[in-house]
Amino acid sequence: MEKYRKGNCFPISARWSCGRGVQRRSVQCHSSSSSPKEAECDPASQPPPQRDCHLPPCPTHRWAAGEWQACTKTCGEASRFREVLCVDEEEQPQSSGRCEPSERPAEVQSCALPPCEYIWITGEWSECSVTCGKGYRQRLVSCSEIYTGKDHYEYGYQNMVNCPGTQPPNIQPCYLGECPISASWRVGNWGSCSVTCGVGVMHRSVQCLTNDDQLSSLCHVDLKPEERRTCHNVHDCDLPRNCKDVKNLEGVTEDGEYFLQVKGKTLKVYCSGMQTDSPKEYVTLVNGDAENFSEVYGYRLHNPTECPYNGSRREDCQCRKDYTAAGFSSFSKVRLDLNTMQIITTDLQFAQTHDGRPVPYATAGDCYSAAKCPQGRFSIDLYGTGLSLVGTAKWLSQGNYAVSEIQKSPDGTKVVGRCGGYCGKCTPSSGTGLDIQVL
């Protein structure tokens, strides 16, 4: 008598419990005798020991996980990540909907890191702010997160509240000896012509001042600049003086370019807001916004005490683009104040901001370095407008380690500058206005 036992289905592919497989069983010769022998059974009637079997079809997609990346920090609470994709039989990425969601491997994992420590980091003292007399020196002071688990410190700038103890000083006085007394003639801006039409006189202030702005008698009298001169307002005496005159006297209500009489000379001015009671004057910049722009540079060095590449401007340095005050604005027209003869630098009606925040005209800065390598730029080009900057036009540096490099053309129609520091900038010294004159 034959006897057999049915086995489980074993698939051909060991990867899945699915698809075509083989089912095996034990086949033995069995009889009533106490010790049966195989020869007692008929070989021709022996049942087969195995047979083919079929389980549900195997899936064609699976989850594939990449290597774990480095932890996002070197100390404290952090995580690490890896890429998880749904792939087909040829390991090609597919839509994640084709893989079983419950079998998706983890993509994020917490890192077991030691707690963070914080220390004060100080930079080198800068040079004295003056070449003689009393001044001050500055240095960069920051609170840094450190991790000493390696052979060297790894640190990054953090909030000041994390560091223990009192913050080290970042400014100290310096004295380079008494300054020699010297004096020079200082001149103010020419006033308005005494007449609006015809021949008149205009005045300006001329003073002899020491290097600390005290009145002095040390200047050579023969070198004293003139205090008054003749002015001629004989050309186009009937021209309007401002855009409001154009509107009221000529009945014009359309914005556009008009000729005005400005300081006794004819000037082409763009009138804006002619439908209102207070139209504004602008001058169209002949060379356009390619030569008239203001920038606060957006990149910052990881180590702001350095000035890499001899101060050159490169974006492949050890830096990051995260300065929130950064921006780049270009100007096709600038606002004029014909009463004070100034360009209103904060009027952005005809400015276009290409990146970040709007930056006023003739302004630049950065938050790049404490080592005197400014990266922010501005450019002024008044050529062809009939206007130029007055000779006394200056820029005021502001912020930490602020420094500026200003270059002006002899006729005052063009100025280019580089400004910055560690979160520093420069602006026209007259505030929101830039002093101009009619050529």
Side-chain angles (χ1 to χ4, degrees):
M1 177 178 181
E2 293 88 358
K3 178 182 180 184
Y4 68 89
R5 180 169 54 87
K6 183 178 180 181
N8 295 326
C9 186
F10 296 94
I12 293 177
S13 172
R15 180 182 296 177
W16 308 102
S17 297
C18 59
R20 182 173 58 85
V22 177
Q23 200 174 27
R24 295 182 176 88
R25 65 180 176 179
S26 172
V27 178
Q28 296 177 336
C29 181
H30 181 74
S31 67
S32 57
S33 63
S34 59
S35 56
K37 298 179 180 180
E38 291 288 337
E40 295 181 8
C41 293
D42 185 0
S45 62
Q46 181 179 351
Q50 67 180 36
R51 69 178 180 184
D52 291 340
C53 58
H54 298 273
L55 293 176
C58 292
T60 57
H61 298 82
R62 67 180 183 86
W63 295 107
E67 296 293 329
W68 287 108
Q69 299 179 2
C71 290
T72 55
K73 294 172 58 179
T74 56
C75 62
E77 295 183 1
S79 302
R80 62 176 183 173
F81 302 86
R82 67 177 176 180
E83 187 178 35
V84 175
L85 298 174
C86 180
V87 299
D88 58 18
E89 293 176 317
E90 298 180 355
E91 305 297 323
Q92 296 300 311
Q94 301 293 324
S95 170
S96 58
R98 300 194 174 205
C99 289
E100 175 58 43
S102 62
E103 297 177 358
R104 185 185 183 103
E107 297 176 270
V108 183
Q109 185 181 71
S110 297
C111 298
L113 298 175
C116 295
E117 299 180 34
Y118 298 90
I119 62 172
W120 290 107
I121 298 294
T122 57
E124 296 292 329
W125 286 108
S126 68
E127 297 179 358
C128 194
S129 60
V130 296
T131 56
C132 62
K134 296 180 180 179
Y136 61 90
R137 297 193 302 166
Q138 292 180 304
R139 67 178 177 178
L140 183 67
V141 177
S142 57
C143 178
S144 297
E145 174 187 286
I146 64 170
Y147 170 53
T148 57
K150 298 185 178 180
D151 295 335
H152 61 281
Y153 283 135
E154 292 183 358
Y155 62 92
Y157 295 100
Q158 303 293 327
N159 193 303
M160 296 294 186
V161 300
N162 292 326
C163 272
T166 303
Q167 176 180 341
N170 66 339
I171 189 170
Q172 67 176 198
C174 52
Y175 179 72
L176 299 180
E178 289 296 331
C179 296
I181 298 177
S182 61
S184 60
W185 291 109
R186 309 279 185 87
V187 298
N189 296 331
W190 286 109
S192 302
C193 193
S194 58
V195 297
T196 58
C197 183
V199 180
V201 177
M202 56 185 182
H203 300 265
R204 67 177 176 181
S205 65
V206 178
Q207 293 179 307
C208 179
L209 299 177
T210 64
N211 47 15
D212 57 353
D213 295 329
Q214 300 298 315
L215 289 173
S216 172
S217 59
L218 298 176
C219 300
H220 200 292
V221 177
D222 293 340
L223 299 178
K224 183 178 181 179
E226 62 179 350
E227 294 181 272
R228 52 178 288 167
R229 72 181 180 187
T230 303
C231 52
H232 300 268
N233 283 347
V234 296
H235 179 67
D236 289 335
C237 288
D238 295 330
L239 282 176
R241 267 63 171 178
N242 52 52
C243 291
K244 191 171 184 178
D245 285 349
V246 174
K247 174 183 175 68
N248 295 336
L249 299 178
E250 301 180 9
V252 176
T253 58
E254 184 177 345
D255 292 359
E257 303 279 357
Y258 299 95
F259 287 101
L260 304 181
Q261 185 183 21
V262 180
K263 299 300 179 181
K265 296 185 179 180
T266 302
L267 191 67
K268 191 177 183 180
V269 172
Y270 183 89
C271 294
S272 175
M274 294 294 283
Q275 301 82 17
T276 68
D277 293 333
S278 300
K280 299 176 182 178
E281 292 83 13
Y282 293 82
V283 63
T284 300
L285 301 168
V286 176
N287 288 328
D289 57 8
E291 299 296 329
N292 292 274
F293 60 85
S294 302
E295 178 193 46
V296 175
Y297 194 53
Y299 285 85
R300 294 201 295 169
L301 292 171
H302 290 302
N303 183 359
T305 62
E306 296 180 350
C307 181
Y309 311 113
N310 296 321
S312 63
R313 177 167 169 161
R314 295 174 57 175
E315 297 176 1
D316 59 349
C317 61
Q318 295 296 316
C319 53
R320 58 194 184 277
K321 189 177 183 182
D322 63 350
Y323 187 30
T324 57
F328 184 97
S329 299
S330 60
F331 298 79
S332 59
K333 292 179 175 63
V334 289
R335 168 85 181 281
L336 300 179
D337 187 331
L338 297 181
N339 293 322
T340 62
M341 288 304 293
Q342 287 186 330
I343 292 175
I344 306 303
T345 59
T346 54
D347 190 307
L348 302 170
Q349 180 173 343
F350 294 98
Q352 184 176 2
T353 298
H354 304 273
D355 185 30
R357 297 189 175 185
V359 183
Y361 192 62
T363 299
D366 61 45
C367 197
Y368 194 68
S369 172
K372 295 184 178 181
C373 52
Q375 300 294 314
R377 302 178 299 176
F378 73 85
S379 176
I380 300 171
D381 191 348
L382 300 178
Y383 178 79
T385 64
L387 299 172
S388 68
L389 299 185
V390 299
T392 56
K394 295 182 180 180
W395 276 257
L396 178 65
S397 296
Q398 306 172 23
N400 299 323
Y401 305 94
V403 62
S404 60
E405 300 170 5
I406 312 296
Q407 297 178 340
K408 295 187 284 187
S409 65
D411 63 356
T413 60
K414 295 183 180 180
V415 183
V416 293
R418 294 177 62 203
C419 306
Y422 189 62
C423 300
K425 66 177 181 178
C426 64
T427 58
S429 58
S430 53
T432 60
L434 187 61
D435 295 330
I436 54 174
Q437 61 189 359
V438 182
L439 293 172

